[in-house]
Amino acid sequence: MSELASPTTAALDADVIVVGAGMSGLYALKVLRERGLRVIVLEKAPAVGGTWYWNRYPGARCDVPSLEYSFGFDPELEQEWVWTEHFATQAEIERYLNHVADRYDLRRDIRLSCGITAATWDADTNTWVFDTETGEQLRSRFAIMATGGLSVPHRPDWPGIDSFAGTIVQTSLWPEEGVELEGKRIGIVGTGSSGVQSIPELAKVAEHLTVFQRTAMFTWPSQNRPLTHEEQAAVKATYRDLREKQYHSYAAAAGTSGAVIFAVPTDDRKIKESTPEEREAALAEHGFSASRIWADTATDLDANAMAVELFNEMVRRTVDDPEVADSLCPKDYPIGCKRPVLDAGYFETFNRDNVTLVDLRKDAVVEVTPTGIRTEHGFAEIDVLVLATGFDAMTGALTRIDVRGEGDHLMRDDWADGPRTYLGISVDGYPNMFMCVGPSSPAVLANYPPQIELQVGWIRDFLLHLGEHGITRAAVEPAAQEAWCEHVADVAKDTMFMADSCNSWYIGANIEGKPRVFLAYAGGLVAYMERCNDVAAHGYEGYALS
Ligand code: NAP
């Protein structure tokens, strides 16, 4: 791909530097290298896998079915890989991604334990310069930021937290060698997906588990199960059809289970038109899922409140202690505002003798001491403190490093009022830089592997187009970016994501000072790719190419 390397071939370490060796970084390396581009991947972790390397806490597993949460680019790969459960564990997905790295000989172009501290646009040569944590400097024509949407852990800044003398561990930085948990007094903070998955597992091994909950969570039984040979063979016999469905669906999902399809009602009936008897029958038939079947709960807050009541009725029927049940009932925000969570025996865990719930809305944290957590009304002695407290999502990875574009602008300053992107892929003022599953793309609202294949495929085709036409600079036109940002906000505005009572990481509400901006594209994968493909078909309109 000599056109891409000109005119500074000698000084370039690669045509493309990809930051991150998670799912999108691995796929980018594969497809760009096979089209003749020289690619280097820089990865902070000592291993490949991204999210699936870092999040190895007890109970960690994917909430999208394994046969769907996998790459479809190579029919041989999808036939040879054997999944063992409907929802795969972290360990199995990590093994899968390592298999992908080996099968396509990717490791030779990946530098591990090599995070970057800065990426700087050099306008004189139309290149990006990367400073690494190892003190190296590398230069490429193009930058692909495959840095992940949920890769920067968020930690509470409670008084005394650094004085804690026991083991303190973040779910998203769980050590490879594991944590001694057996027979310990464990405290866990946070009841999002990570907390909800960990809590039943921690309760099984702890002498005592204290759960510190700030906001009660909507979580539905995952119905996980081992995959039978017959079930897997049936999917593999028609895998191409499944992939086609994924690529042409709202959430890159073909099936009927998993967290990403929760926004899709399974029923034509409206809860507002239902009788108490019909709602009771729904509870008897669907249990917790009775709260998510109705056609009118996604956009009508009154209907949504009725669905919340069905959910909370199930909590009360499941949890023995009425006071604990009451604390576990989500009350002040709608279903669909936050990422749906799938669990395995979450509410039942609070019936165990060795589990205590501390409702931080009634009993706030005062301080962490060397031996535990003091709240307004009590003190919990703790040996191991687990923080399942989430992430600086979608933008954190790029605003924490010095990404310096044209005119010496820093991305974190440009994004002080929220991320501004074109198609969730490019940013005005940062030429030749592309993001994978970045802010204002479907990202967390769609199944990752198929979405990555489509989006990275689009970036690959763009890079080949630039090479074929001898173009060394691709910059976003400000008006195109403004129009995309307006469209993204418009699509989200009438959804539960933006309800006044909704405070989720989708809108940055979990990070103090972060602007309240919806961080993904809610129009669905099909509409998104149509727009991207339209841009390409019109000669990459919205980009100034030179
Ligand atoms: P999260 O959804 O942001 O949950 C963080 C939890 O920590 C919330 O309960 C939050 O309470 C609590 N918290 C944060 N700061 C706190 C503080 N200072 N004091 C008390 N509580 C505090 O994070 P997550 O559980 O890691 O999940 C993030 C996303 O990762 C998910 O939404 C999902 O997209 C992905 N994920 C997926 C899977 C899967 O595939 N199964 C598993 C794990 C994660 P508030 O609600 O009050 O802020």
Side-chain angles (χ1 to χ4, degrees):
M1 194 73 275
S2 55
E3 299 92 326
L4 277 176
S6 166
T8 53
T9 309
L12 289 179
D13 296 287
D15 296 320
V16 185
I17 287 181
V18 177
V19 184
M23 212 168 241
S24 40
L26 291 175
Y27 185 64
L29 168 57
K30 179 191 180 292
V31 296
L32 296 177
R33 196 173 68 186
E34 72 191 8
R35 300 305 292 265
L37 291 165
R38 293 180 302 143
V39 185
I40 294 175
V41 179
L42 304 177
E43 168 56 57
K44 188 182 177 67
V48 302
T51 281
W52 299 107
Y53 168 78
W54 293 107
N55 290 267
R56 49 183 67 240
Y57 57 84
R61 65 172 71 238
C62 187
D63 56 13
V64 175
S66 53
L67 285 158
E68 294 219 38
Y69 191 83
S70 52
F71 285 123
F73 62 80
D74 182 349
E76 283 182 18
L77 171 67
E78 67 191 9
Q79 289 297 328
E80 77 197 7
W81 185 262
V82 177
W83 296 103
T84 63
E85 292 179 77
H86 185 65
F87 293 109
T89 59
Q90 170 273 332
E92 194 161 46
I93 301 171
E94 190 188 22
R95 276 199 299 280
Y96 171 76
L97 292 176
N98 274 279
H99 173 70
V100 168
D102 291 331
R103 196 186 196 288
Y104 302 98
D105 189 22
L106 302 180
R107 294 187 197 274
R108 64 186 156 92
D109 288 319
I110 301 173
R111 300 192 189 180
L112 299 172
S113 302
C114 192
I116 68 161
T117 55
T120 310
W121 173 244
D122 178 357
D124 293 335
T125 57
N126 286 345
T127 56
W128 279 98
V129 179
F130 294 85
D131 290 300
T132 72
E133 285 168 349
T134 55
E136 274 178 291
Q137 206 170 60
L138 295 163
R139 187 183 289 268
S140 62
R141 173 71 71 213
F142 297 101
I144 294 188
M145 309 307 274
T147 38
L150 295 161
S151 52
V152 177
H154 162 65
R155 179 184 163 132
D157 57 356
W158 291 329
I161 194 161
D162 292 329
S163 74
F164 184 65
T167 303
I168 185 162
V169 59
Q170 198 108 20
T171 47
S172 51
L173 295 171
W174 202 267
E176 259 189 281
E177 63 277 15
V179 178
E180 188 53 55
L181 298 168
E182 197 76 37
K184 302 285 184 195
R185 294 166 303 179
I186 302 173
I188 180 165
V189 186
T191 50
S193 302
S194 306
V196 165
Q197 286 189 334
S198 320
I199 285 164
E201 297 306 313
L202 295 174
K204 287 177 197 162
V205 296
E207 179 198 302
H208 196 88
L209 177 69
T210 308
V211 178
F212 296 88
Q213 171 195 276
R214 187 165 66 185
T215 306
M217 194 47 143
F218 292 107
T219 163
W220 289 265
S222 72
Q223 318 284 7
N224 186 37
R225 58 184 189 279
L227 270 181
T228 63
H229 174 73
E230 291 71 29
E231 224 177 328
Q232 188 146 195
V235 170
K236 287 184 173 178
T238 54
Y239 230 145
R240 296 293 82 214
D241 296 341
L242 181 139
R243 297 301 183 196
E244 281 310 306
K245 277 190 202 144
Q246 289 184 317
Y247 300 138
H248 297 99
S249 69
Y250 176 91
T256 53
S257 79
V260 292
I261 52 90
F262 260 55
V264 184
T266 55
D267 227 277
D268 291 335
R269 290 182 298 165
K270 294 186 172 175
I271 194 168
K272 275 172 91 174
E273 293 168 5
S274 66
T275 63
E277 292 72 28
E278 284 170 327
R279 294 197 290 281
E280 183 54 45
L283 278 175
E285 186 182 352
H286 301 288
F288 279 93
S289 283
S291 56
R292 66 173 197 91
I293 60 175
W294 312 93
D296 53 347
T297 56
T299 49
D300 182 332
L301 271 170
D302 295 332
N304 199 293
M306 292 174 74
V308 171
E309 187 39 42
L310 286 189
F311 183 92
N312 288 345
E313 178 56 25
M314 279 307 297
V315 177
R316 289 189 287 270
R317 290 182 190 184
T318 308
V319 177
D320 297 340
D321 182 324
E323 204 181 326
V324 174
D326 184 59
S327 285
L328 288 168
C329 287
K331 294 181 186 72
D332 46 10
Y333 68 100
I335 292 174
C337 134
K338 297 189 181 207
R339 163 92 175 188
V341 178
L342 303 190
D343 71 83
Y346 176 68
F347 290 111
E348 291 82 351
T349 298
F350 292 90
N351 294 334
R352 293 177 66 114
D353 291 338
N354 71 333
V355 176
T356 306
L357 178 71
V358 177
D359 182 344
L360 298 177
R361 306 256 167 167
K362 297 176 183 159
D363 187 12
V365 170
V366 175
E367 60 170 350
V368 182
T369 75
T371 56
I373 295 185
R374 186 179 315 288
T375 54
E376 284 166 349
H377 304 301
F379 181 74
E381 286 197 37
I382 290 168
D383 305 311
V384 180
L385 177 56
V386 177
L387 300 176
T389 42
F391 302 86
D392 182 356
M394 300 299 288
T395 53
L398 292 173
T399 55
R400 300 279 163 118
I401 46 179
D402 290 344
V403 180
R404 214 174 271 280
E406 282 178 321
D408 227 18
H409 280 235
L410 275 171
M411 192 172 269
R412 69 172 147 272
D413 295 338
D414 285 352
W415 284 6
D417 295 327
R420 314 293 293 169
T421 82
Y422 184 43
L423 306 174
I425 292 177
S426 302
V427 182
D428 172 27
Y430 300 79
N432 292 9
M433 175 175 281
F434 304 97
M435 297 175 297
C436 298
V437 280
S440 317
S441 77
V444 288
L445 302 183
N447 179 19
Y448 270 83
Q451 169 183 207
I452 284 167
E453 287 176 48
L454 294 178
Q455 200 193 46
V456 172
W458 188 93
I459 295 170
R460 172 204 56 203
D461 292 348
F462 191 13
L463 292 181
L464 294 174
H465 173 89
L466 298 177
E468 280 156 17
H469 293 83
I471 294 163
T472 56
R473 183 176 181 281
V476 172
E477 290 167 351
Q481 177 163 295
E482 282 317 296
W484 178 251
C485 292
E486 246 177 64
H487 174 59
V488 170
D490 199 46
V491 171
K493 81 175 181 323
D494 292 326
T495 65
M496 291 300 152
F497 303 129
M498 296 303 289
D500 288 341
S501 56
C502 179
N503 291 303
S504 71
W505 62 258
Y506 283 163
I507 53 168
N510 63 328
I511 302 294
E512 207 177 322
K514 200 164 169 173
R516 195 179 167 89
V517 172
F518 188 62
L519 294 168
Y521 177 64
L525 183 70
V526 174
Y528 174 75
M529 284 314 302
E530 271 173 17
R531 180 76 187 106
C532 290
N533 291 333
D534 210 43
V535 164
H538 290 87
Y540 294 95
E541 69 181 352
Y543 287 93
L545 306 178
S546 56

PDB file of all heavy atoms in Angstrom, residues 216-233:
ATOM      1  N   ALA A 216     -31.207   0.760  43.409  1.00  0.00           N
ATOM      2  CA  ALA A 216     -31.702  -0.593  43.123  1.00  0.00           C
ATOM      3  C   ALA A 216     -31.751  -0.793  41.608  1.00  0.00           C
ATOM      4  O   ALA A 216     -31.988   0.152  40.851  1.00  0.00           O
ATOM      5  CB  ALA A 216     -33.089  -0.776  43.735  1.00  0.00           C
ATOM      6  N   MET A 217     -31.532  -2.033  41.170  1.00  0.00           N
ATOM      7  CA  MET A 217     -31.333  -2.298  39.747  1.00  0.00           C
ATOM      8  C   MET A 217     -32.459  -3.150  39.166  1.00  0.00           C
ATOM      9  O   MET A 217     -32.953  -4.056  39.828  1.00  0.00           O
ATOM     10  CB  MET A 217     -29.999  -3.045  39.611  1.00  0.00           C
ATOM     11  CG  MET A 217     -29.462  -3.113  38.211  1.00  0.00           C
ATOM     12  SD  MET A 217     -29.517  -1.518  37.394  1.00  0.00           S
ATOM     13  CE  MET A 217     -28.060  -1.479  36.448  1.00  0.00           C
ATOM     14  N   PHE A 218     -32.829  -2.848  37.932  1.00  0.00           N
ATOM     15  CA  PHE A 218     -33.693  -3.760  37.187  1.00  0.00           C
ATOM     16  C   PHE A 218     -32.802  -4.868  36.633  1.00  0.00           C
ATOM     17  O   PHE A 218     -31.885  -4.596  35.856  1.00  0.00           O
ATOM     18  CB  PHE A 218     -34.374  -3.048  36.019  1.00  0.00           C
ATOM     19  CG  PHE A 218     -35.385  -2.029  36.451  1.00  0.00           C
ATOM     20  CD1 PHE A 218     -35.113  -0.668  36.333  1.00  0.00           C
ATOM     21  CD2 PHE A 218     -36.603  -2.428  36.981  1.00  0.00           C
ATOM     22  CE1 PHE A 218     -36.043   0.281  36.734  1.00  0.00           C
ATOM     23  CE2 PHE A 218     -37.542  -1.483  37.380  1.00  0.00           C
ATOM     24  CZ  PHE A 218     -37.266  -0.126  37.260  1.00  0.00           C
ATOM     25  N   THR A 219     -33.052  -6.096  37.052  1.00  0.00           N
ATOM     26  CA  THR A 219     -32.274  -7.211  36.527  1.00  0.00           C
ATOM     27  C   THR A 219     -33.192  -8.412  36.347  1.00  0.00           C
ATOM     28  O   THR A 219     -34.078  -8.648  37.173  1.00  0.00           O
ATOM     29  CB  THR A 219     -31.055  -7.538  37.426  1.00  0.00           C
ATOM     30  OG1 THR A 219     -30.578  -8.842  37.090  1.00  0.00           O
ATOM     31  CG2 THR A 219     -31.363  -7.467  38.914  1.00  0.00           C
ATOM     32  N   TRP A 220     -32.986  -9.101  35.257  1.00  0.00           N
ATOM     33  CA  TRP A 220     -33.885 -10.205  34.885  1.00  0.00           C
ATOM     34  C   TRP A 220     -33.106 -11.527  34.873  1.00  0.00           C
ATOM     35  O   TRP A 220     -31.923 -11.537  34.490  1.00  0.00           O
ATOM     36  CB  TRP A 220     -34.480  -9.950  33.490  1.00  0.00           C
ATOM     37  CG  TRP A 220     -35.478  -8.847  33.453  1.00  0.00           C
ATOM     38  CD1 TRP A 220     -36.838  -8.973  33.546  1.00  0.00           C
ATOM     39  CD2 TRP A 220     -35.240  -7.432  33.305  1.00  0.00           C
ATOM     40  NE1 TRP A 220     -37.447  -7.733  33.464  1.00  0.00           N
ATOM     41  CE2 TRP A 220     -36.490  -6.764  33.316  1.00  0.00           C
ATOM     42  CE3 TRP A 220     -34.087  -6.651  33.162  1.00  0.00           C
ATOM     43  CZ2 TRP A 220     -36.640  -5.393  33.195  1.00  0.00           C
ATOM     44  CZ3 TRP A 220     -34.211  -5.273  33.059  1.00  0.00           C
ATOM     45  CH2 TRP A 220     -35.472  -4.655  33.071  1.00  0.00           C
ATOM     46  N   PRO A 221     -33.755 -12.631  35.261  1.00  0.00           N
ATOM     47  CA  PRO A 221     -33.057 -13.922  35.237  1.00  0.00           C
ATOM     48  C   PRO A 221     -32.555 -14.235  33.831  1.00  0.00           C
ATOM     49  O   PRO A 221     -33.304 -14.114  32.857  1.00  0.00           O
ATOM     50  CB  PRO A 221     -34.141 -14.921  35.658  1.00  0.00           C
ATOM     51  CG  PRO A 221     -35.176 -14.105  36.362  1.00  0.00           C
ATOM     52  CD  PRO A 221     -35.150 -12.751  35.736  1.00  0.00           C
ATOM     53  N   SER A 222     -31.295 -14.614  33.727  1.00  0.00           N
ATOM     54  CA  SER A 222     -30.687 -14.793  32.393  1.00  0.00           C
ATOM     55  C   SER A 222     -31.151 -16.080  31.718  1.00  0.00           C
ATOM     56  O   SER A 222     -31.066 -16.197  30.502  1.00  0.00           O
ATOM     57  CB  SER A 222     -29.170 -14.814  32.503  1.00  0.00           C
ATOM     58  OG  SER A 222     -28.739 -16.025  33.093  1.00  0.00           O
ATOM     59  N   GLN A 223     -31.607 -17.042  32.501  1.00  0.00           N
ATOM     60  CA  GLN A 223     -31.968 -18.373  31.957  1.00  0.00           C
ATOM     61  C   GLN A 223     -30.767 -18.992  31.259  1.00  0.00           C
ATOM     62  O   GLN A 223     -30.922 -19.696  30.248  1.00  0.00           O
ATOM     63  CB  GLN A 223     -33.143 -18.284  30.941  1.00  0.00           C
ATOM     64  CG  GLN A 223     -34.267 -17.375  31.310  1.00  0.00           C
ATOM     65  CD  GLN A 223     -35.186 -17.951  32.377  1.00  0.00           C
ATOM     66  OE1 GLN A 223     -34.913 -18.990  32.938  1.00  0.00           O
ATOM     67  NE2 GLN A 223     -36.254 -17.255  32.693  1.00  0.00           N
ATOM     68  N   ASN A 224     -29.577 -18.729  31.780  1.00  0.00           N
ATOM     69  CA  ASN A 224     -28.396 -19.353  31.174  1.00  0.00           C
ATOM     70  C   ASN A 224     -28.480 -20.870  31.310  1.00  0.00           C
ATOM     71  O   ASN A 224     -29.096 -21.388  32.244  1.00  0.00           O
ATOM     72  CB  ASN A 224     -27.134 -18.844  31.876  1.00  0.00           C
ATOM     73  CG  ASN A 224     -25.886 -19.347  31.200  1.00  0.00           C
ATOM     74  OD1 ASN A 224     -25.840 -19.462  29.969  1.00  0.00           O
ATOM     75  ND2 ASN A 224     -24.869 -19.668  31.968  1.00  0.00           N
ATOM     76  N   ARG A 225     -27.862 -21.572  30.355  1.00  0.00           N
ATOM     77  CA  ARG A 225     -27.883 -23.038  30.392  1.00  0.00           C
ATOM     78  C   ARG A 225     -26.726 -23.565  29.551  1.00  0.00           C
ATOM     79  O   ARG A 225     -26.222 -22.844  28.674  1.00  0.00           O
ATOM     80  CB  ARG A 225     -29.213 -23.556  29.827  1.00  0.00           C
ATOM     81  CG  ARG A 225     -29.452 -23.089  28.405  1.00  0.00           C
ATOM     82  CD  ARG A 225     -30.806 -23.486  27.836  1.00  0.00           C
ATOM     83  NE  ARG A 225     -30.858 -23.179  26.406  1.00  0.00           N
ATOM     84  CZ  ARG A 225     -31.105 -21.997  25.897  1.00  0.00           C
ATOM     85  NH1 ARG A 225     -31.333 -20.966  26.695  1.00  0.00           N
ATOM     86  NH2 ARG A 225     -31.118 -21.794  24.585  1.00  0.00           N
ATOM     87  N   PRO A 226     -26.337 -24.814  29.812  1.00  0.00           N
ATOM     88  CA  PRO A 226     -25.313 -25.391  28.932  1.00  0.00           C
ATOM     89  C   PRO A 226     -25.860 -25.495  27.515  1.00  0.00           C
ATOM     90  O   PRO A 226     -27.061 -25.701  27.330  1.00  0.00           O
ATOM     91  CB  PRO A 226     -25.086 -26.794  29.521  1.00  0.00           C
ATOM     92  CG  PRO A 226     -25.672 -26.762  30.885  1.00  0.00           C
ATOM     93  CD  PRO A 226     -26.758 -25.729  30.883  1.00  0.00           C
ATOM     94  N   LEU A 227     -24.993 -25.345  26.533  1.00  0.00           N
ATOM     95  CA  LEU A 227     -25.429 -25.512  25.138  1.00  0.00           C
ATOM     96  C   LEU A 227     -25.307 -26.981  24.773  1.00  0.00           C
ATOM     97  O   LEU A 227     -24.228 -27.566  24.934  1.00  0.00           O
ATOM     98  CB  LEU A 227     -24.517 -24.705  24.219  1.00  0.00           C
ATOM     99  CG  LEU A 227     -24.892 -23.270  23.897  1.00  0.00           C
ATOM    100  CD1 LEU A 227     -23.854 -22.673  22.964  1.00  0.00           C
ATOM    101  CD2 LEU A 227     -26.280 -23.172  23.287  1.00  0.00           C
ATOM    102  N   THR A 228     -26.360 -27.554  24.294  1.00  0.00           N
ATOM    103  CA  THR A 228     -26.252 -28.954  23.878  1.00  0.00           C
ATOM    104  C   THR A 228     -25.588 -29.002  22.501  1.00  0.00           C
ATOM    105  O   THR A 228     -25.594 -28.019  21.743  1.00  0.00           O
ATOM    106  CB  THR A 228     -27.641 -29.610  23.754  1.00  0.00           C
ATOM    107  OG1 THR A 228     -28.357 -28.924  22.722  1.00  0.00           O
ATOM    108  CG2 THR A 228     -28.404 -29.534  25.062  1.00  0.00           C
ATOM    109  N   HIS A 229     -25.054 -30.186  22.201  1.00  0.00           N
ATOM    110  CA  HIS A 229     -24.430 -30.376  20.893  1.00  0.00           C
ATOM    111  C   HIS A 229     -25.461 -30.112  19.776  1.00  0.00           C
ATOM    112  O   HIS A 229     -25.169 -29.453  18.780  1.00  0.00           O
ATOM    113  CB  HIS A 229     -23.882 -31.800  20.798  1.00  0.00           C
ATOM    114  CG  HIS A 229     -23.362 -32.125  19.443  1.00  0.00           C
ATOM    115  ND1 HIS A 229     -22.172 -31.614  18.957  1.00  0.00           N
ATOM    116  CD2 HIS A 229     -23.904 -32.870  18.432  1.00  0.00           C
ATOM    117  CE1 HIS A 229     -21.995 -32.035  17.709  1.00  0.00           C
ATOM    118  NE2 HIS A 229     -23.031 -32.792  17.372  1.00  0.00           N
ATOM    119  N   GLU A 230     -26.683 -30.591  19.992  1.00  0.00           N
ATOM    120  CA  GLU A 230     -27.723 -30.468  18.955  1.00  0.00           C
ATOM    121  C   GLU A 230     -28.074 -29.004  18.710  1.00  0.00           C
ATOM    122  O   GLU A 230     -28.197 -28.558  17.565  1.00  0.00           O
ATOM    123  CB  GLU A 230     -29.006 -31.213  19.380  1.00  0.00           C
ATOM    124  CG  GLU A 230     -28.900 -32.721  19.416  1.00  0.00           C
ATOM    125  CD  GLU A 230     -28.024 -33.242  20.558  1.00  0.00           C
ATOM    126  OE1 GLU A 230     -27.944 -32.563  21.612  1.00  0.00           O
ATOM    127  OE2 GLU A 230     -27.393 -34.299  20.397  1.00  0.00           O
ATOM    128  N   GLU A 231     -28.190 -28.258  19.814  1.00  0.00           N
ATOM    129  CA  GLU A 231     -28.541 -26.833  19.707  1.00  0.00           C
ATOM    130  C   GLU A 231     -27.470 -26.072  18.913  1.00  0.00           C
ATOM    131  O   GLU A 231     -27.756 -25.279  18.020  1.00  0.00           O
ATOM    132  CB  GLU A 231     -28.578 -26.275  21.127  1.00  0.00           C
ATOM    133  CG  GLU A 231     -29.734 -25.374  21.445  1.00  0.00           C
ATOM    134  CD  GLU A 231     -29.671 -24.952  22.909  1.00  0.00           C
ATOM    135  OE1 GLU A 231     -29.192 -25.715  23.770  1.00  0.00           O
ATOM    136  OE2 GLU A 231     -30.087 -23.835  23.177  1.00  0.00           O
ATOM    137  N   GLN A 232     -26.223 -26.377  19.270  1.00  0.00           N
ATOM    138  CA  GLN A 232     -25.117 -25.680  18.612  1.00  0.00           C
ATOM    139  C   GLN A 232     -25.022 -26.072  17.132  1.00  0.00           C
ATOM    140  O   GLN A 232     -24.808 -25.223  16.260  1.00  0.00           O
ATOM    141  CB  GLN A 232     -23.819 -26.007  19.340  1.00  0.00           C
ATOM    142  CG  GLN A 232     -22.650 -25.198  18.869  1.00  0.00           C
ATOM    143  CD  GLN A 232     -21.676 -24.888  20.004  1.00  0.00           C
ATOM    144  OE1 GLN A 232     -20.860 -24.031  19.844  1.00  0.00           O
ATOM    145  NE2 GLN A 232     -21.754 -25.526  21.123  1.00  0.00           N
ATOM    146  N   ALA A 233     -25.210 -27.364  16.877  1.00  0.00           N
ATOM    147  CA  ALA A 233     -25.133 -27.844  15.494  1.00  0.00           C
ATOM    148  C   ALA A 233     -26.229 -27.200  14.648  1.00  0.00           C
ATOM    149  O   ALA A 233     -26.003 -26.852  13.482  1.00  0.00           O
ATOM    150  CB  ALA A 233     -25.257 -29.370  15.472  1.00  0.00           C
TER     151      ALA A 233
END
